[in-house]
Amino acid sequence: MNVENRQIPLPDAYKSLLQDEGKSFDVGDHGRFLHSHAGDESAVGFLNWVFPYAKSIKASDVHLSWRESGCVVRIRHEDMLMSNQWLFTRQAGQLLNDKIRAKCRLPIHDIESSHDSSFWILDEDQQSMIDIRVSIVPTTFGANIVCRLGNQAANLPLEKIYMPDYVREKYLEVIDSPQGMIIVSGPTGSGKSATLAASLNYRNTPDTNIMTVEDPVENRIPGANQVSINYYRTFAGVLRSFLRQDPDIIMVGEIRDEETAAIATTAANTGHLVLSSVHANDAPSTLLRLTALNAEAYALAEALLCFFSQRLLRKLCSNCAIPVALSEDEQQNLPTRNPQATYFRMASEGCPMCHGQGHVGRIPVIELALNTADVREAILTQNMQNIREALYRQPSYRTLTEAALEMSALMLVDFQDALAITQATLLQTASEGAKP
């Protein structure tokens, strides 16, 4: 029976409780900064404007930094470059500081401590929520406040995240699984959260109960139950509660301790699809990280569907990218099993299409590893060499460097960026060949 046909008629006596159809948000005053006293109108108006504006230009962070001359507001743009925007008076900076602290429910007068928190604001023009992570550190002249914009991937469809066809085909197979574990690794800022959010969006249907625990919630998933951890709520504690909440899919923002690793693995083996992340350098190291957290090898071998690592690289401007021609000897010295004769590099002067940058935005590089039978056997023996050999036998497996070089040959990323993705050494001959 179709879920849509299971609507239960509501007695007339209770219809006054219903929300208007098509209503996107019912958050009252919680979705914006509020006036608290006379004279703060401009500061409040600025805060209600700057975050939706920053989101509209795809900025990643808004900085408020105290200097001897006042409070400078800086923005980190989509291309990861920082720019100074406005210099405010110290009095105005103090108002902004107080409003942000109040929104985060942080003590206004504790200026000697560092704080991490978050808040959300309603973008009324786009009718969307903007989740903002806040870090406050005391400095010589005042506080340095960094507000990282989340929610960039809340409605990002999985098909919009770049994956080679051979990766996408295999990933869609595992993400459709009713149970098991999917683990993504990579450093901070590698796009892990965006990929996980897009994966949840792919599986997000009215008949699916999705629950996430994060530090804090970064991307709001419509209809999902999302929990931010704090002093009273740990990953392990919330995850244990989730198992009594009838979940279909569980997302754990990060597996960082033994208890969380054990509960997540158990959940994946008992009828739930579990998605999570760990900090590791590459896909094989993901297994090392999990076993270092005392995840039982047999349970891990049974639970895993796939484990992958990713990075974000600058995406080449296709209008001005410059070819890099390599000799046969140079090709053979590249750290890849599939060397190409021609790659592409960034034009330092750029062009009008990329506004003189040579690149346009960022693009993920993905190293996807499937948990095949020989990988499971290698996990049980905890032999890293056997794991790597088993991965090399997978037609869809590429190391991060190999994947990045393939993308460089397709004019997607810079040749040197591809080699540097895992700190590979650029051969002097290849460097010379890259010169125009």
Side-chain angles (χ1 to χ4, degrees), residues 31-319:
R32 56 193 178 93
F33 287 86
L34 299 175
H35 300 295
S36 59
H37 56 80
D40 67 359
E41 294 85 355
S42 294
V44 168
F46 173 77
L47 291 172
N48 284 327
W49 168 80
V50 71
F51 295 111
Y53 172 75
K55 180 189 173 186
S56 72
I57 62 172
K58 299 183 179 179
S60 62
D61 302 86
V62 175
H63 292 231
L64 290 84
S65 304
W66 268 251
R67 302 286 186 262
E68 59 270 33
S69 55
C71 175
V72 62
V73 178
R74 305 193 293 168
I75 289 181
R76 187 175 296 280
H77 295 268
E78 183 184 16
D79 58 8
M80 300 306 294
L81 297 177
M82 181 86 78
S83 65
N84 291 352
Q85 294 297 321
W86 309 284
L87 178 63
F88 289 163
T89 65
R90 177 165 293 275
Q91 180 181 7
Q94 189 60 53
L95 282 173
L96 298 177
N97 171 78
D98 292 349
K99 293 298 179 182
I100 290 175
R101 286 174 179 262
K103 191 72 172 170
C104 294
R105 298 181 180 178
L106 294 174
I108 293 178
H109 301 294
D110 181 6
I111 61 175
E112 299 300 328
S113 303
S114 299
H115 298 283
D116 294 306
S117 189
S118 64
F119 65 89
W120 51 266
I121 188 171
L122 177 63
D123 182 353
E124 296 182 358
D125 291 338
Q126 299 298 321
Q127 280 297 289
S128 63
M129 305 297 294
I130 308 173
D131 289 283
I132 299 168
R133 299 177 65 174
V134 178
S135 173
I136 303 177
V137 175
T139 64
T140 303
F141 297 104
N144 191 65
I145 302 177
V146 178
C147 301
R148 168 151 292 186
L149 276 66
N151 202 36
Q152 304 288 2
N155 296 308
L156 180 65
L158 189 59
E159 57 266 24
K160 292 295 185 181
I161 291 184
Y162 174 79
M163 296 180 185
D165 291 341
Y166 61 84
V167 170
R168 187 174 300 279
E169 177 185 356
K170 296 300 182 182
Y171 188 65
L172 291 180
E173 288 179 7
V174 297
I175 197 65
D176 278 325
S177 302
Q179 71 175 62
M181 180 182 286
I182 296 172
I183 301 291
V184 56
S185 67
T188 301
S190 60
K192 301 187 300 294
S193 297
T195 299
L196 290 175
S199 301
L200 292 178
N201 280 325
Y202 177 80
R203 288 293 308 271
N204 192 10
T205 57
D207 59 338
T208 302
N209 183 17
I210 297 176
M211 309 197 74
T212 78
V213 53
E214 304 166 65
D215 181 23
V217 171
E218 291 189 54
N219 302 290
R220 296 197 177 272
I221 311 299
N225 299 293
Q226 299 181 264
V227 178
S228 290
I229 68 166
N230 56 29
Y231 178 81
Y232 303 99
R233 296 194 296 259
T234 64
F235 275 119
V238 174
L239 186 54
R240 193 180 299 108
S241 297
F242 278 3
L243 298 181
R244 298 187 290 271
Q245 291 276 312
D246 188 31
D248 296 301
I249 300 175
I250 296 172
M251 197 271 276
V252 184
E254 181 186 348
I255 295 178
R256 59 174 67 156
D257 58 67
E258 295 181 7
E259 189 177 8
T260 304
I263 299 172
T265 305
T266 300
N269 280 323
T270 54
H272 309 91
L273 180 63
V274 178
L275 293 84
S276 190
S277 72
V278 297
H279 282 290
N281 290 329
D282 56 16
S285 299
T286 299
L287 300 180
L288 280 181
R289 175 61 178 154
L290 291 172
T291 54
L293 292 172
N294 287 335
E296 294 287 349
Y298 72 90
L300 189 61
E302 288 299 316
L304 276 177
L305 296 169
C306 76
F307 48 104
F308 64 98
S309 183
Q310 76 173 60
R311 301 288 191 278
L312 287 179
L313 294 185
R314 295 174 295 182
K315 184 178 180 182
L316 280 182
C317 173
S318 59
N319 187 59

Side-chain angles (χ1 to χ4, degrees), residues 313-317 346 358-363 411-413:
L313 294 185
R314 295 174 295 182
K315 184 178 180 182
L316 280 182
C317 173
M346 189 182 306
H359 55 89
V360 285
R362 294 181 293 169
I363 189 170
M411 204 189 298
L412 292 173
V413 301

